[in-house]
Amino acid sequence: MDSALAIADRGGLEAVTLRAIATDVGATPMALYTYFADKDALYEGMRDRAFARVKLASAARRSWRVMLDAAARSVFQLMREHPNWMPLVAHQSGPPTSALAFFDEVLELMVKDGFSLEEALCAYGSAMSFAVGSVLFEQMMMGGGDVIARRLALLKELVARAPGRYDNIASLASKIDRWSFDDVFDLGISSLLKGIEARPVRPRLRPARSLRAR
Amino acid sequence: MDSALAIADRGGLEAVTLRAIATDVGATPMALYTYFADKDALYEGMRDRAFARVKLASAARRSWRVMLDAAARSVFQLMREHPNWMPLVAHQSGPPTSALAFFDEVLELMVKDGFSLEEALCAYGSAMSFAVGSVLFEQMMMGGGDVIARRLALLKELVARAPGRYDNIASLASKIDRWSFDDVFDLGISSLLKGIEARPVRPRLRPARSLRAR
DNA sequence: ACCTGAACACCGTTCAAGT
DNA sequence: ACCTGAACACCGTTCAAGT
C-alpha cells in the first residue's frame, strides 16, 4: 500500500498499475491479489492509509473550534503535499476509521457548548467538506505545479478578448501576480467557524423561549 | 461530448472509452481524434460541458450573498444529480469560462459593499470550494446510491466494537435512521456566508482607525 | 496461505491509407 | 479536413499449476 501511494505521488494515480507495484516490491503482479480483492479495494486501502496521516491528536482536548480548524487545515495540507492522491478521496467507501475518536470528541465539545447533536454533525461535515473542497477547487483553478502565472495569463487573455465586460477580473489580474490559495482557505475556514459559532435559530429542536441580548 | 457525459452518467467515468463513444455516435474510434487530441482533452471538454449546466443567471443582479448561495447550491445539486461526473472536477484545466461573467458580478457587488478585491476573491473561492467539497464529502461518507442504512450499520458496528469509547457517535447512530446531507450543506453555506458578512479585520489592507461599537 | 507464468479481453494510441 | 482498419504496447483479471 505504501508502494502504491509512493508511485501515485510520483506519477499520478494512473501510474499505479499492478505491474508497477509488483516490480517495486519485488514480486509478481498476481502475488498482489493475496492482499486485496481487486483494484477498487486497493484504492480503498490507499485512501485509508493516506487519511491516517491527517494529524488530529495534537489539537484534541481543546475547543471544538480549534479542533475543527486544525483538522481542516491538516487535511488541506496533506492533500496539497500529495495532490496526486486527491482522486482517492472521491472513492466512496465510508468514513475512514482513523477519524472516529476525533469525530466523537468534537461532538462532545459542541454538545457541551449547547449545540444539538445534529448541529454538531453538520458542523463537522461542513468543516471537512470545506477542507477537501479547497484542495479540489485549488487544483481546478491552478492546475498542477507552478502554473499560477500561466493561469493568470490565460485569465488576462480571456478578459482581453471581451474588453469592458470583466472589469473586476481585469483589475484583479493586473494587480495580483502571485495568488496564494492559503488566503482563500484562511478566510473560508475562519468565516465558516465564526458563522457556526453564531448559532442559527433552531426552531424545531429548541424553541427560543428567552431572547438573549447581544 | 454529450455522448461521453451520458455514458459516464450511466456507467461511471471508467465506462467512457473511445470505443463506447464511437459505437454510441455511430462512428469508428479513430474518427473521434478529429475532435480532441487525447483522452485528457476529452475529459476537459466534458468538464466544461458539465459546468455549463450550473445555473448562475437566475440569481444575478442581486446581492453577492444571494448569488454565492445560489451558485454553490446549483453546483451541489448538479454534481449530486450526476455523481459519476465528480472526478471530472478534479481534472485541472483552469477555471471554466462559463463562470467568468458571474464571477465578475460577484466581485463588483462585494466591492460595492466595502470588501477589498482580494477579500471578494477569497469569498468566491470559499463558497465554490465548499460546494464541490460537500459533494465530495457526501460521496465519501455515503457511498453511491441508497447505502445510507448500510453506512449507519457499519458505523454502529464500529462503535459497538469499542463500547464506551464513542458515546456521541453511538447516541447519534441510534437516533438518526436517515441522514440527509442537505442539512450539512444548508448549515455550512449559511454559516460561511454569515461569517464572510461579519467582515474580518483587515489590518494590512485597511488599518482600523476607528473602533466601531457593536 | 501464498506465489508463479501463460493467456484473455480490453484499453488508448500510432500508422499508413483512403475520401 | 475527416474517416477507416489493422496493429502495438499496455492494462486488470482468470486460470491452471505449483509450494
Side-chain angles (χ1 to χ4, degrees):
Chain A
M1 222 61 90
D2 287 327
S3 169
L5 282 176
I7 291 171
D9 224 356
R10 289 195 302 268
L13 209 63
E14 72 264 357
V16 179
T17 66
L18 298 184
R19 287 166 174 87
I21 303 172
T23 58
D24 191 41
V25 302
T28 267
M30 284 313 299
L32 304 173
Y33 276 96
T34 308
Y35 304 98
F36 42 81
D38 56 6
K39 218 180 177 196
D40 248 35
L42 168 67
Y43 288 142
E44 184 176 332
M46 289 173 71
R47 191 205 60 156
D48 289 346
R49 196 92 167 179
F51 266 100
R53 297 205 196 179
V54 175
K55 278 171 261 155
L56 301 171
S58 60
R61 288 281 148 221
R62 302 189 52 184
S63 75
W64 59 267
R65 200 175 152 152
V66 171
M67 287 181 77
L68 283 183
D69 182 85
R73 196 157 254 116
S74 181
V75 167
F76 181 65
Q77 282 175 353
L78 177 75
M79 296 318 290
R80 193 184 234 186
E81 282 170 24
H82 308 278
N84 289 336
W85 294 355
M86 196 60 207
L88 292 172
V89 180
H91 263 265
Q92 39 199 30
S93 40
T97 55
S98 62
L100 279 185
F102 175 82
F103 179 49
D104 199 67
E105 196 160 354
V106 169
L107 257 52
E108 186 175 329
L109 287 172
M110 289 196 76
V111 168
K112 270 186 191 163
D113 262 17
F115 289 91
S116 74
L117 217 45
E118 286 82 1
E119 283 171 333
L121 179 63
C122 287
Y124 180 84
S126 295
M128 293 300 108
S129 293
F130 177 76
V132 295
S134 295
V135 187
L136 199 62
F137 192 70
E138 182 186 23
Q139 285 190 7
M140 189 175 71
M141 296 296 280
M142 304 295 204
D146 55 348
V147 285
I148 306 176
R150 187 150 53 87
R151 290 289 157 233
L152 277 171
L154 180 78
L155 199 62
K156 285 177 189 175
E157 187 201 342
L158 283 167
V159 167
R161 206 175 295 165
R165 272 196 67 183
Y166 309 124
D167 290 340
N168 294 305
I169 297 179
S171 76
L172 193 67
S174 64
K175 248 164 91 176
I176 300 181
D177 47 12
R178 214 183 70 87
W179 179 31
S180 166
F181 207 82
D182 285 312
D183 296 334
V184 181
F185 183 84
D186 284 338
L187 178 100
I189 192 66
S190 68
S191 297
L192 180 63
L193 295 178
K194 189 187 300 178
I196 291 172
E197 207 164 26
R199 301 192 195 179
V201 191
R202 289 158 288 165
R204 279 185 312 168
L205 306 168
R206 215 183 260 199
R209 291 194 197 140
S210 65
L211 235 58
R212 262 182 264 172
R214 269 248 169 180
Chain B
M1 223 60 90
D2 286 327
S3 169
L5 282 175
I7 291 171
D9 224 357
R10 290 196 301 267
L13 210 61
E14 72 264 358
V16 179
T17 66
L18 298 184
R19 287 165 174 88
I21 302 173
T23 59
D24 191 42
V25 301
T28 267
M30 283 315 297
L32 304 174
Y33 276 96
T34 308
Y35 305 98
F36 41 81
D38 56 7
K39 217 176 181 200
D40 247 35
L42 168 66
Y43 288 143
E44 184 176 332
M46 289 173 71
R47 192 205 60 157
D48 288 347
R49 195 94 167 176
F51 266 100
R53 295 207 197 179
V54 175
K55 278 172 259 154
L56 302 171
S58 61
R61 291 279 148 222
R62 299 188 55 182
S63 74
W64 59 267
R65 198 174 153 154
V66 171
M67 287 180 76
L68 283 183
D69 182 85
R73 198 158 254 116
S74 181
V75 168
F76 181 64
Q77 281 174 353
L78 177 76
M79 296 318 291
R80 192 183 234 186
E81 282 170 24
H82 308 278
N84 290 335
W85 293 355
M86 196 59 206
L88 291 173
V89 180
H91 262 266
Q92 39 199 31
S93 41
T97 56
S98 63
L100 279 185
F102 175 83
F103 178 49
D104 199 67
E105 197 161 354
V106 170
L107 257 52
E108 186 176 328
L109 288 171
M110 289 196 76
V111 168
K112 270 185 191 162
D113 263 16
F115 289 91
S116 73
L117 217 46
E118 286 81 1
E119 283 171 334
L121 179 63
C122 287
Y124 180 84
S126 294
M128 294 300 107
S129 293
F130 177 74
V132 296
S134 296
V135 187
L136 200 62
F137 192 69
E138 182 187 23
Q139 286 189 8
M140 190 175 70
M141 295 298 280
M142 303 296 202
D146 57 345
V147 286
I148 304 177
R150 187 149 54 88
R151 289 288 157 232
L152 276 171
L154 180 77
L155 199 61
K156 285 177 189 174
E157 187 201 341
L158 282 168
V159 167
R161 206 174 295 165
R165 271 195 68 181
Y166 310 123
D167 289 339
N168 295 306
I169 297 179
S171 76
L172 192 67
S174 65
K175 250 163 90 174
I176 299 182
D177 47 11
R178 212 183 70 88
W179 180 30
S180 166
F181 207 82
D182 285 311
D183 296 334
V184 181
F185 183 84
D186 284 339
L187 177 100
I189 192 67
S190 68
S191 297
L192 179 63
L193 294 178
K194 190 187 298 177
I196 291 172
E197 208 163 26
R199 302 191 193 180
V201 191
R202 290 159 286 166
R204 277 186 312 167
L205 307 167
R206 216 182 261 199
R209 294 196 194 137
S210 66
L211 235 58
R212 262 181 264 174
R214 269 249 170 177

